[in-house]
């Protein structure tokens, strides 16, 4: 189940993936195919529900398996972007999901151009950092998937605490991206409650 949740997280971030279409082969002597079955009603579109806690968003994506059942995928996320001259650059996305032991895993998306080793060093204020290893990279960036979060969250002692992600670049330089921890613990409590946010976020 933990692997499934992290896989769902990855599938939500990866863009441009579409199912393959089946192509009918030309068979002039083939028997006439039976009449097509009546078209099934389209499955309901996924719905996104979200609640803001400080600088974090508790979000649940409802993905209906059929008309009667829906699967809810929930996470707590903060996305950092750099806006300059009308351009938006993704800097860092930190996401928390529930694991199989009533704890949390961290998923991290870093920009392209990072050095894969030693990975990302995460810390709270001046506490000892934890090392997180990249799982893979693609055109969207480099991903850390399923990193246990207990070492990180245990150091959050106040709403004013700051998170730090130290990342190595391919040119040998190290950069530190700071992110807010304001609202993280209440957001994680909401995630643990299993109760999705009440507010639906409409597309567009």
């Amino acid at each position: 189940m933990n692997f499934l949740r992290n896989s769902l997280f990855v599938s939500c971030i990866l863009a441009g993936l579409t199912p393959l279409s089946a192509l009918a082969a030309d068979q002039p002597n083939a028997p006439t195919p039976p009449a097509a079955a009546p078209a099934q009603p389209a499955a309901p579109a996924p719905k996104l529900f979200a609640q803001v806690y400080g600088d974090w968003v508790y979000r649940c994506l409802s993905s209906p398996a059929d008309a009667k059942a829906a699967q809810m995928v929930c996470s707590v996320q903060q996305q950092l972007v750099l806006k300059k001259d009308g351009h938006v650059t993704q800097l860092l996305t930190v996401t928390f999901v529930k694991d199989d032991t009533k704890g949390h895993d961290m998923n991290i998306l870093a920009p392209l151009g990072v050095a894969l080793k030693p990975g990302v060093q995460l810390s709270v204020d001046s506490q000892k950092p934890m090392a997180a290893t990249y799982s893979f990279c693609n055109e969207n960036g480099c991903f850390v998937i399923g990193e246990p979060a207990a070492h990180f969250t245990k150091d959050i002692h106040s709403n004013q605490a700051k998170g730090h992600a130290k990342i190595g670049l391919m040119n040998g330089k190290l950069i530190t991206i700071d992110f807010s921890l304001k609202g993280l613990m209440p957001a994680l409590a909401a995630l643990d409650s299993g109760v999705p946010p009440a507010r639906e976020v409409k597309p567009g």
Side-chain angles (χ1 to χ4, degrees), residues 2-198:
N2 189 37
F3 172 79
L4 172 62
R5 274 193 297 271
N6 288 322
S7 298
L8 289 169
F9 163 78
V10 174
S11 66
C12 288
I13 290 183
L14 301 183
L17 297 182
T18 55
L20 295 176
S21 300
L23 300 179
D26 243 352
Q27 296 182 6
N29 298 322
T32 303
Q40 296 296 319
K47 295 181 179 181
L48 178 64
F49 301 86
Q51 175 67 46
V52 175
Y53 290 85
D55 293 317
W56 295 81
V57 179
Y58 170 40
R59 47 187 290 164
C60 291
L61 183 67
S62 173
S63 302
D66 54 45
K68 297 181 181 179
Q71 186 177 41
M72 195 75 76
V73 180
C74 298
S75 63
V76 169
Q77 186 179 89
Q78 182 177 159
Q79 208 170 27
L80 298 178
V81 298
L82 176 65
K83 297 180 180 179
K84 186 177 181 180
D85 300 328
H87 298 284
V88 178
T89 303
Q90 300 285 339
L91 289 182
L92 189 75
T93 300
V94 182
T95 305
F96 289 83
V97 296
K98 294 172 70 174
D99 66 13
D100 293 329
T101 62
K102 298 184 179 179
H104 306 101
D105 283 340
M106 296 178 72
N107 298 320
I108 300 165
L109 172 58
L112 291 172
V114 299
L116 297 183
K117 292 182 179 181
V120 183
Q121 290 192 7
L122 295 161
S123 61
V124 176
D125 291 335
S126 59
Q127 302 297 321
K128 183 179 179 180
M130 59 174 278
T133 304
Y134 292 112
S135 302
F136 66 91
C137 298
N138 66 11
E139 66 274 12
N140 298 298
C142 291
F143 294 80
V144 174
I145 302 297
E147 184 69 30
H151 180 79
F152 181 84
T153 55
K154 74 177 179 61
D155 289 331
I156 302 175
H157 302 300
S158 77
N159 210 32
Q160 284 72 44
K162 294 289 185 181
H164 312 287
K166 183 177 289 187
I167 296 174
L169 303 181
M170 292 179 65
N171 60 11
K173 292 183 178 179
L174 288 174
I175 62 170
T176 299
I177 301 175
D178 300 328
F179 55 98
S180 169
L181 298 177
K182 181 180 178 181
L184 174 58
M185 301 313 286
L188 290 179
L191 174 66
D192 293 341
S193 74
V195 179

